[in-house]
Amino acid sequence: MTSVSDPDAEPAHVVVYTREGCHLCDDAIETIERVADSVSRSVEIETVDVDTDPDLRERYGERVPYVTVDGRPKFKYRVDADDLRATLTA
C-alpha cells in the first residue's frame, strides 16, 4: 500500500511484524494505513508474519505488533497516530 506521493520526499518504509489472529496487529495496521493516507509523503507498508520464520518468532515472540519506520524501531503493541504522523512528516 502506498499513500499520496510527495515528489521531494523519500518514501517511508514501515514494517509491521505481526502474526495471524493478532487483534492488536490489525489495529496497528489500520492506524498506519489511516495516517499514511493523511500525509503527503509516500508510505510503503510491509507486513511480516513472525511465525513464518523461526528466527523472527524467536526474536519477537509475543511482542507483536512491532513496528519499524525506515529501519528504526518505533512502536510495540500499539501505534500512536500522532507520533507516527510526526515521524512521517519530520
Side-chain angles (χ1 to χ4, degrees):
M1 167 170 225
T2 304
S3 72
V4 177
S5 179
D6 177 352
D8 298 326
E10 280 290 315
H13 186 229
V14 178
V15 178
V16 184
Y17 293 92
T18 183
R19 66 174 15 107
E20 200 167 316
C22 171
H23 73 279
L24 290 177
C25 300
D26 295 339
D27 292 346
I29 293 166
E30 287 177 24
T31 300
I32 295 165
E33 288 174 344
R34 185 170 19 91
V35 171
D37 287 343
S38 74
V39 297
S40 61
R41 184 178 180 191
S42 177
V43 178
E44 298 169 349
I45 303 168
E46 177 184 358
T47 59
V48 177
D49 184 341
V50 300
D51 292 326
T52 63
D53 180 313
D55 291 333
L56 291 176
R57 186 172 41 247
E58 170 93 15
R59 182 174 181 182
Y60 294 104
E62 297 297 319
R63 295 183 313 133
V64 293
Y66 190 89
V67 179
T68 64
V69 178
D70 294 329
R72 295 187 181 112
K74 187 62 183 164
F75 302 100
K76 182 170 61 172
Y77 304 124
R78 300 200 185 278
V79 174
D80 181 281
D82 292 333
D83 285 350
L84 179 59
R85 187 173 290 105
T87 298
L88 295 176
T89 58

